[in-house]
Amino acid sequence: MAHKSDFVVVANRLPVDRIVGGDGQTSWRRSPGGLVTAVEPLMRQREGNGAWVGWAGDASDGVDEPIAPFDNDGLTLYPVPLAAQEIEEYYEGFSNTSLWPLYHDAIVPAEYHRAWWNAYVAVNQRFADAAASVAAEGAFVWVHDYQLQLVPAMLRQKRPDLRIGFFLHIPFPPTELFGQLPWRRQILEGLLGADLVGFQTPGGAANFLRLTRDRLGLKPSGAAVQVDGRTVRARSYPISIDVSSFVELASMPEVQERARQIRHDLGDPRTVLLGIDRLDYTKGIGIRLEALEELLDEDRIDASDTVMIQVATPSRERVEQYRVLRENVERTVGRINGSYGAVGNPAVNYIHRSMPRDEIVALYLAADIMVVTPFRDGMNLVAKEYIACRLDGTGSLILSEFAGAARELKNAYLVNPYDIEGVKEVFLEAIEAPRAEQRRRMRSLQRQVTKHDVAHWAQTFVDDITRIRRENREGSR
Ligand code: GDG
């Protein structure tokens, strides 16, 4: 066993992908994510290695025989094995068919099954046990997201010496919705194992605190609640992006050239609209396509000078609701192109594949208008990435009021995705906006994103938990 770490991240996935070469040898490739970029510098500020506990992304035969930890670029990775049935029940089932829809306003109905819950408990315990064995005395353990909400309490039970933080990347629902969950009490108690529970928005933190009163009979006061003689704090920490890495890519001549090429291939239209999302029913892909279609039907825009690109990255393809969504989106794209596309020039360029990051950035540079219309979204990083890449200060962002990002990005064209007429009006407004108006909005958006990047997010969380722990210790003297 590698030596113990005093900064441990616990997340469903490890920040690497397993690559099996032609010779059958396994190697690991770092998957570039905002989270790992944000926490790495903080880990390096401390002596010794940071550690990351997570699932490697494929099914294991023997969950009782964990894969040995290994070092990857200065980070010690601890793979947590999941059996095929656990992937179905804990991950696809409870995480993505019970919690995901429930926490996103139940846009599609959430399903609850006891077997899924039992798997969720068992897998959370496995993650907690792994974290407990990795963390040094008094270490900081940062648990992430809805798949692992029981881990804070399970970990505290084994290791009361630890500083435990939890961050939820998706929305936390209002008490009326959360009340559906047959295991609502256990989830709240799980989260209360942390010293600090972080949410994307103040609304999420308020929902959580109110639930501790309504469901557990606790007495929250301000941003804190007392439980078992400890103080647990809940606050919002809006996540962001690694701005400099996007600026760097957007500055590269070959990426800029690729953006020009993309526009040229589209027929050099006057306006390029862009959507980039995981293919998820929360993201409102259908509504933006329908808005575009109606504007074309009504002759208010013309497919010869207004073109849309929609990248819909494959996601959770074994979950039924995602298969249905894919069929619906693809049917709509086919209908629009059948009516309005020309040979070699579709009205909607639809891509259902994952793309390299530099191609994503080239698309950001090629697009006049970024369309982000989720029905509910914890934050939405795509909106922030688009802003960071617009080095020449042009471009417009259409942004749903129901994305966490809308709280900060007030100079976007804000829109209610449930109101299709409103979406259409905002499309036209953004398409017709004078350059000066675009630039004024973009300047203000860029100030916001540059100042609050992901390093700032991580540092604020870590500073807060350090202060809270100190206050708690002083308070108990
Ligand atoms: C969850 C919450 C919250 C997308 N397609 C490709 C690709 N992407 C990248 C984007 C962006 C990321 O994936 C998506 O992040 P979002 O924030 O937009 O959405 P979720 O995946 O739903 O994330 C969300 C987030 O967690 C963080 O807390 O903001 O609310 O739902 O970075 O650029 N990247 C590459 N190829 C693709 O095809 N390389």
Side-chain angles (χ1 to χ4, degrees):
M1 171 70 80
H3 73 91
K4 304 215 171 203
S5 299
D6 59 4
F7 192 131
V8 182
V9 168
V10 187
N12 179 56
R13 281 297 304 268
L14 287 173
V16 287
D17 292 316
R18 194 202 295 264
I19 311 289
V20 183
D23 54 1
Q25 287 287 320
T26 298
S27 62
W28 300 88
R29 191 178 51 207
R30 190 61 75 83
S31 48
L35 192 56
V36 63
T37 326
V39 299
E40 265 195 323
L42 294 171
M43 289 175 161
R44 291 193 206 288
Q45 280 168 21
R46 290 152 194 262
E47 301 290 301
N49 271 357
W52 192 299
V53 175
W55 172 43
D58 47 15
S60 291
D61 304 331
V63 293
D64 299 328
E65 293 164 35
I67 312 167
F70 58 95
D71 280 344
N72 179 280
D73 239 348
L75 204 62
T76 312
L77 306 186
Y78 290 79
V80 177
L82 293 184
Q85 189 171 349
E86 289 173 334
I87 297 172
E88 267 173 46
E89 296 182 340
Y90 146 79
Y91 181 66
E92 291 161 358
F94 197 73
S95 297
N96 288 326
T97 314
S98 308
L99 292 173
W100 179 269
L102 180 70
Y103 282 31
H104 288 89
D105 291 356
I107 304 164
V108 307
E111 284 179 38
Y112 308 110
H113 297 292
R114 283 163 284 188
W116 293 358
W117 165 253
N118 292 337
Y120 186 80
V121 175
V123 170
N124 271 247
Q125 188 66 57
R126 192 173 307 140
F127 274 81
D129 292 347
S133 70
V134 170
E137 176 74 21
F140 168 47
V141 181
W142 197 356
V143 184
H144 288 264
D145 227 1
Y146 62 106
Q147 304 94 346
L148 300 176
Q149 294 172 99
L150 305 177
V151 169
M154 289 170 164
L155 192 53
R156 180 164 302 280
Q157 170 97 38
K158 291 193 122 173
R159 293 289 307 272
D161 59 296
L162 300 175
R163 272 182 302 153
I164 304 174
F166 181 91
F167 183 75
L168 185 70
H169 290 252
I170 67 175
F172 195 77
T175 141
E176 294 77 2
L177 264 176
F178 189 81
Q180 281 185 15
L181 193 61
W183 305 279
R184 57 202 183 192
R185 228 193 133 79
Q186 289 93 319
I187 296 276
L188 293 172
E189 287 169 352
L191 293 171
L192 285 169
D195 297 295
L196 175 61
V197 188
F199 298 89
Q200 300 276 27
T201 63
N207 287 345
F208 172 70
L209 288 165
R210 190 175 154 205
L211 273 156
T212 65
R213 188 190 65 207
D214 294 355
R215 295 291 169 194
L216 302 179
L218 300 177
K219 296 194 173 62
S221 156
V225 58
Q226 298 288 325
V227 54
D228 300 335
R230 296 185 299 118
T231 306
V232 178
R233 292 198 168 61
R235 253 200 61 183
S236 76
Y237 298 86
I239 201 169
S240 190
I241 57 163
D242 178 21
V243 174
S244 61
S245 74
F246 281 93
V247 169
E248 198 180 309
L249 274 173
S251 311
M252 288 167 66
E254 52 277 35
V255 175
Q256 294 177 357
E257 178 50 36
R258 174 69 192 135
R260 277 189 290 274
Q261 181 69 43
I262 291 169
R263 284 192 78 100
H264 181 69
D265 291 347
L266 294 171
D268 284 321
R270 194 167 70 100
T271 307
V272 176
L273 300 156
L274 173 66
I276 297 183
D277 314 77
R278 271 186 312 99
L279 186 50
D280 195 295
Y281 50 78
T282 59
K283 302 288 185 184
I285 299 169
I287 186 70
R288 75 183 74 133
L289 292 173
E290 282 160 29
L292 183 80
E293 184 177 29
E294 288 195 14
L295 288 171
L296 288 164
D297 287 347
E298 293 160 10
D299 253 342
R300 295 164 83 190
I301 56 173
D302 186 336
S304 67
D305 65 16
T306 305
V307 172
M308 172 136 198
I309 305 172
Q310 176 65 57
V311 178
T313 315
S315 183
R316 305 177 192 166
E317 292 180 294
R318 284 158 35 125
V319 177
E320 173 63 15
Q321 289 140 341
Y322 288 77
R323 288 198 205 122
V324 173
L325 171 74
R326 178 174 177 191
E327 277 166 24
N328 289 341
V329 166
E330 293 184 355
R331 193 174 315 118
T332 309
V333 169
R335 198 173 58 225
I336 298 174
N337 284 336
S339 302
Y340 298 103
V343 174
N345 286 99
V348 180
N349 292 259
Y350 170 76
I351 295 155
H352 180 249
R353 283 192 309 280
S354 190
M355 308 241 185
R357 168 85 74 98
D358 51 358
E359 180 74 1
I360 297 281
V361 171
L363 287 166
Y364 289 145
L365 293 181
D368 303 291
I369 302 177
M370 187 78 215
V371 191
V372 181
T373 52
F375 294 117
R376 179 60 77 192
D377 212 334
M379 178 55 56
N380 195 291
L381 298 181
V382 165
K384 294 186 174 181
E385 291 167 4
Y386 177 72
I387 294 166
C389 289
R390 302 300 301 187
L391 303 178
D392 67 357
T394 63
S396 300
L397 171 67
I398 295 178
L399 178 62
S400 163
E401 294 166 17
F402 298 101
R407 282 189 55 83
E408 298 168 84
L409 305 180
K410 298 231 186 294
N411 267 303
Y413 290 89
L414 294 179
V415 69
N416 170 5
Y418 291 92
D419 169 16
I420 187 163
E421 284 303 328
V423 175
K424 285 160 62 184
E425 289 309 321
V426 164
F427 268 40
L428 291 178
E429 194 186 340
I431 289 170
E432 283 153 18
R435 282 242 153 183
E437 166 71 2
Q438 277 183 28
R439 283 178 188 279
R440 184 190 66 77
R441 287 179 181 253
M442 186 51 78
R443 255 199 312 277
S444 135
L445 294 171
Q446 287 183 329
R447 268 197 300 273
Q448 171 66 31
V449 171
T450 311
K451 206 164 150 207
H452 301 96
D453 77 350
V454 74
H456 170 85
W457 167 81
Q459 188 73 55
T460 316
F461 192 96
V462 172
D463 288 350
D464 277 5
I465 200 162
T466 307
R467 189 171 37 77
I468 287 165
R469 190 64 182 204
R470 197 174 48 234
E471 284 169 6
N472 276 352
R473 242 186 266 127
E474 282 162 8
S476 63
R477 266 191 207 137

